[in-house]
Amino acid sequence: RRGHLSKFGRTDVGVGVHFSHSPSRSAAAMPPILSESMHLRLFVFAMCFFTQGLPSGMTSIGLGPWLLASGCTTERVSALSALVNLPWGLKVVIAPLVDSPICGRKFGLRRPWIVFGQFGLLVSLVLLGIATYGAGIDETLQLLAVLGVIYTSFNALTSVAVETMAIDLLPHGEKARTNAAMTAGWTVGDAMMGSLSGALLPMIHLSGVATFCALLVLPSLVLMICVVERPSEPENSSSNGASSSSSSSH
C-alpha cells in the first residue's frame, strides 16, 4: 500500500495542488500593475494626458470667442488667458514636491500625487460650475480669474507627477511610443474640449461646460485609484536599489 501511494503520488500531489491554487487566487485579486504591462502603461499615460488636455481646451480654445461674443474686450480676455495659464510656468516650483511621498511608499511614490492633482482639478471645475450658475459676465470673469488659476495649478501638478512616473516606470525601448501616446492624448483632449466648449457655451453657459468637463475628468481619476505602480513599494529612498536587492534575495 505504501509503495502504491508512492508510485502514483496521489496523496502528495493532491495536497500540493490544493495549496498551489491559493497564490493564483490572491494574484487574481491584485489590482492592475503598471510596471508589469506595456499596454496598461500606454493606456494610463495617454488617458492622464487626455484628461490634462480637457481644461486646457476649454480655457485656451473655447472661452475666448465666447467671452468676446458676450461683450468682453480683447484686453480683458487676453489678460485672463495669461493669468489662467500662468501656473504652467510654475512647474519648476511644483516639481520638487512630487519627489516626496505623501501617503507612504506602499501607495506608490507618484500615483498619490496624480490622484491628488486630478481630484483637485475635478473639485475646482465643479466649484466653477456652481459659482458661475446664473452669474453675469463680469462676475464670471472674476470667478475665472480665481478658480481658473486653481484648476490650472492642479493640472500642472498632475502633469509633473505623470511625467515623473513615466521616467520611473518606462524601460528604454518604450519611451518614444509612450511619449507619442501622451502627446496624442493631450492633443485629442485639448481639441475635443475646445470644440465642445465652443458649441456648448452659448447654450449651457460656463456653468454647464465646467461641470461637463469635470465629469470627463472622473474616469481618469477612478483609473488612477484602481492601478498600482509596482507589485510592492520599497521602504528605502532608492526604489530601484531596493527592488534589485529584494529580487536577488529571493
Side-chain angles (χ1 to χ4, degrees):
R1 181 178 180 86
R2 186 177 303 168
H4 178 74
L5 292 175
S6 175
K7 178 180 178 181
F8 292 97
R10 295 188 182 275
T11 302
D12 295 336
V13 171
V15 172
V17 170
H18 174 73
F19 285 107
S20 65
H21 285 311
S22 57
S24 62
R25 280 197 296 267
S26 62
M30 290 183 65
I33 301 171
L34 287 171
S35 64
E36 296 187 352
S37 172
M38 179 191 73
H39 294 98
L40 179 63
R41 287 192 291 272
L42 280 172
F43 176 74
V44 167
F45 287 127
M47 186 67 177
C48 285
F49 267 69
F50 168 80
T51 302
Q52 292 170 43
L54 294 172
S56 176
M58 181 184 72
T59 302
S60 301
I61 300 175
L63 276 177
W66 176 72
L67 290 171
L68 290 171
S70 300
C72 291
T73 63
T74 304
E75 291 79 7
R76 294 182 74 184
V77 173
S78 299
L80 177 67
S81 179
L83 178 64
V84 171
N85 285 291
L86 183 63
W88 289 112
L90 302 178
K91 289 173 70 174
V92 67
V93 179
I94 298 172
L97 298 175
V98 180
D99 285 327
S100 303
I102 56 174
C103 293
R105 291 186 176 272
K106 67 178 182 178
F107 295 103
L109 183 58
R110 318 296 179 184
R111 187 172 66 97
W113 284 108
I114 299 173
V115 171
F116 174 69
Q118 290 184 344
F119 180 75
L121 172 62
L122 187 149
V123 170
S124 56
L125 286 170
V126 170
L127 289 176
L128 179 63
I130 295 172
T132 55
Y133 181 76
I137 194 64
D138 289 332
E139 187 180 357
T140 297
L141 279 172
Q142 294 172 5
L143 291 167
L144 268 172
V146 177
L147 291 172
V149 169
I150 293 174
Y151 72 63
T152 305
S153 298
F154 280 117
N155 212 14
L157 170 64
T158 305
S159 177
V160 172
V162 173
E163 291 164 356
T164 310
M165 188 169 72
I167 294 172
D168 288 348
L169 294 179
L170 291 176
H172 181 70
E174 268 182 49
K175 292 180 179 179
R177 75 184 76 179
T178 305
N179 181 64
M182 292 191 294
T183 303
W186 172 283
T187 303
V188 171
D190 183 71
M192 187 189 82
M193 195 63 211
S195 60
L196 286 174
S197 298
L200 294 175
L201 278 166
M203 295 185 290
I204 60 176
H205 201 263
L206 180 58
S207 176
V209 172
T211 304
F212 177 65
C213 186
L215 291 175
L216 294 179
V217 172
L218 186 58
S220 181
L221 174 60
V222 173
L223 177 65
M224 289 310 303
I225 291 172
C226 292
V227 301
V228 296
E229 294 176 45
R230 296 180 177 85
S232 60
E233 288 299 320
E235 294 298 330
N236 59 15
S237 59
S238 175
S239 58
N240 292 335
S243 299
S244 302
S245 61
S246 175
S247 59
S248 64
S249 65
H250 290 302

